[in-house]
């Protein structure tokens, strides 16, 4: 199995690149953000619970994530591994993921961190707001999401660097060029 984490601030291109990587390497793409958006759209109990938080750009509490993650992973059959996109976002979530991997007698091969500066991320998210109309893509919420990323999610860079899993990837350029850099890193990590 090949298990990857794609990491980076909101708007760094994680979603787009994950889809390409999942296709190329036959991986299950697990995007917790996509899961929450679908639950909100279908007005499920979970969706109603998390809607307010997500629209403000806050994180969903850690204890809700683990079951969602496990049930998302169980839906896939005949894949060669997983690509986690938007998860983990906190140190407790990273520990939970390590446990899930342990239970499967498996491990995370590499954490691919897309390096994109704040100005670029803000510009991209404002553009996405126009194109897709995501409720959490207005300027105030974008700033909040970036602050939360810095406070709660960025410490994971050190967590994975300490475990020799971290690979920084320059995240500005064409989708194709960035995809190429990501694939090189994945192939090397075998
Ligand atoms: P994303 O599409 O990954 O940017 O996620 C959209 C929103 O969903 C985030 O701003 C959070 O409110 C919520 N979310 C997604 N994944 C997580 C996670 N792993 N932990 C907490 N909240 C999450």
């Amino acid at each position: 199995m090949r298990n990857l984490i794609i990491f980076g601030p909101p708007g760094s291109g994680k979603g787009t690149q994950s889809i390409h990587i999942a296709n190329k390497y036959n991986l299950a793409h697990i995007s917790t953000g996509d899961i929450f958006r679908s639950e909100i759209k279908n007005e499920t109990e979970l969706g109603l619970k998390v809607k307010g938080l997500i629209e403000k750009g806050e994180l969903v509490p850690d204890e809700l994530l683990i079951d969602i993650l496990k049930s998302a992973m169980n839906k896939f059959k005949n894949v060669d591994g997983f690509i986690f996109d938007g998860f983990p976002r906190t140190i407790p979530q990273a520990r939970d993921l390590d446990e899930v991997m342990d239970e499967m007698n498996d491990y995370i091969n590499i954490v691919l961190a897309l390096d994109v500066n704040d100005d670029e991320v803000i510009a991209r998210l404002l553009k996405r707001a126009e194109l897709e109309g995501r409720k959490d893509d207005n300027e105030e919420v974008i700033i909040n999401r970036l602050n939360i990323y810095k406070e709660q999610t960025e410490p994971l860079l050190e967590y994975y660097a300490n475990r020799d899993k971290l690979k920084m990837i320059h995240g500005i350029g064409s989708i194709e060029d960035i995809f190429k850099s990501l694939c090189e890193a994945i192939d090397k990590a075998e």
Side-chain angles (χ1 to χ4, degrees):
M1 294 283 258
R2 194 196 300 259
N3 302 304
L4 317 174
I5 295 173
I6 190 151
F7 191 88
S12 56
K14 299 189 296 289
T16 308
Q17 295 295 347
S18 298
I19 294 168
H20 291 306
I21 293 170
N23 283 339
K24 174 164 175 175
Y25 295 97
N26 188 34
L27 306 179
H29 174 210
I30 309 277
S31 158
T32 44
D34 284 351
I35 295 171
F36 288 132
R37 277 184 289 279
S38 142
E39 298 279 329
I40 291 172
K41 195 165 152 223
N42 295 322
E43 298 184 340
T44 64
E45 199 180 323
L46 173 66
L48 295 173
K49 208 189 251 176
V50 300
K51 187 171 190 271
L53 287 171
I54 291 182
E55 287 179 359
K56 279 187 281 179
E58 306 286 330
L59 292 187
V60 171
D62 288 336
E63 43 306 349
L64 289 182
L65 266 295
I66 187 74
D67 290 343
I68 293 165
L69 181 83
K70 284 186 181 168
S71 84
M73 289 172 73
N74 283 333
K75 283 194 187 122
F76 287 93
K77 303 275 172 267
N78 303 321
V79 288
D80 296 325
F82 294 91
I83 177 160
F84 299 100
D85 160 15
F87 182 92
R89 259 180 159 92
T90 63
I91 300 274
Q93 291 181 19
R95 297 207 178 103
D96 285 344
L97 181 59
D98 284 343
E99 264 178 41
V100 170
M101 287 286 134
D102 274 352
E103 283 164 17
M104 293 163 55
N105 283 324
D106 214 331
Y107 58 93
I108 296 292
N109 297 68
I110 186 170
V111 178
L112 302 154
L114 290 170
D115 193 11
V116 181
N117 62 52
D118 284 1
D119 288 348
E120 173 76 16
V121 156
I122 292 171
R124 286 188 196 176
L125 290 173
L126 288 173
K127 195 162 158 211
R128 185 168 79 185
E130 271 176 39
L131 296 174
E132 295 177 18
R134 256 176 68 165
K135 280 228 172 75
D136 58 352
D137 275 348
N138 66 69
E139 192 156 4
E140 192 188 329
V141 175
I142 288 171
I143 304 286
N144 194 27
R145 283 163 64 205
L146 268 179
N147 286 336
I148 289 179
Y149 171 78
K150 290 194 177 148
E151 281 162 25
Q152 302 196 46
T153 306
E154 232 171 31
L156 289 174
L157 289 174
E158 200 188 325
Y159 180 92
Y160 288 113
N162 288 339
R163 287 159 178 75
D164 274 335
K165 306 268 186 205
L166 187 67
K167 176 73 190 165
M168 297 299 293
I169 305 283
H170 183 60
I172 298 183
S174 71
I175 292 177
E176 293 75 19
D177 285 347
I178 297 167
F179 180 58
K180 220 170 128 204
S181 313
L182 288 163
C183 292
E184 278 167 16
I186 295 167
D187 295 338
K188 262 198 208 148
E190 275 190 89

